[in-house]
């Protein structure tokens, strides 16, 4: 594996070349829309989930954003590409993965540090 140093990190960020749109609702009236142009990696995958009723296939994802701040939180919505504008609480409620292909909801966030500096954030669901 070839390693490229970025911000002092031995991690290779060449695959972080996709555009994603992050949506964050403040819990009141405001939806913040942030487009990250060609600066993220979003990978969709299918995994097996085991419950009391058996095993089933479910969709999962991994989002990687090289950054110096944590731009994503649990509950945020992520769209692959440049997503639509969201103007109201009703628009937020209608923005769901079953209606919008390429949309996912963040269930976990894991910041990654190198030499005490935040180098990237991983999120998934």
């Amino acid at each position: 594996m070839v390693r490229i140093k970025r911000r002092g990190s031995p991690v290779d960020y060449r695959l972080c070349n996709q555009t994603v749109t992050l949506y964050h609702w403040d819990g009141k009236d405001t939806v913040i829309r942030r487009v990250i142009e060609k600066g993220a990696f979003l990978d969709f995958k299918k995994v097996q989930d085991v419950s009391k009723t058996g095993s089933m296939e479910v969709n999962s994802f991994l989002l990687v954003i090289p950054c110096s701040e944590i731009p994503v939180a649990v509950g945020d919505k992520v769209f692959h590409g440049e997503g639509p504008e969201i103007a109201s609480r009703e628009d937020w409620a209608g923005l769901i993965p079953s209606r919008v292909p390429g949309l996912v909801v963040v269930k976990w966030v894991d910041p990654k540090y190198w030499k005490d500096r935040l180098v990237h954030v991983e999120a998934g669901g």
Side-chain angles (χ1 to χ4, degrees):
M1 177 168 119
V2 176
R3 293 180 183 233
I4 296 175
K5 289 191 175 187
R6 179 175 179 181
R7 295 188 212 138
S9 169
V11 180
D12 185 345
Y13 290 105
R14 287 181 291 174
L15 294 177
C16 293
N17 60 3
Q18 298 170 323
T19 297
V20 297
T21 305
L22 303 176
Y23 297 96
H24 177 80
W25 181 45
D26 70 357
K28 299 174 187 168
D29 300 319
T30 306
V31 176
I32 299 167
R33 176 181 176 265
R34 181 176 179 187
V35 178
I36 299 175
E37 292 188 32
K38 298 182 181 181
F41 174 76
L42 180 59
D43 183 42
F44 300 96
K45 59 186 171 182
K46 293 191 182 290
V47 295
Q48 291 295 316
D49 186 30
V50 179
S51 67
K52 291 179 183 178
T53 58
S55 177
M56 66 178 178
E57 192 174 80
V58 294
N59 293 319
S60 179
F61 74 94
L62 172 66
L63 173 67
V64 178
I65 304 171
C67 58
S68 59
E69 63 183 55
I70 301 174
V72 63
V74 172
D76 285 358
K77 298 176 183 182
V78 181
F79 182 79
H80 186 253
E82 187 166 344
E85 295 284 341
I86 301 298
S88 67
R89 186 176 185 172
E90 291 76 23
D91 290 343
W92 171 263
L95 190 67
I96 56 176
S98 63
R99 289 187 187 170
V100 182
L103 181 75
V104 292
V105 178
V106 174
K107 293 185 181 174
W108 56 266
V109 176
D110 190 9
K112 300 297 183 179
Y113 294 86
W114 174 256
K115 295 184 179 180
D116 297 327
R117 291 185 63 196
L118 179 65
V119 291
H120 73 260
V121 173
E122 296 178 10

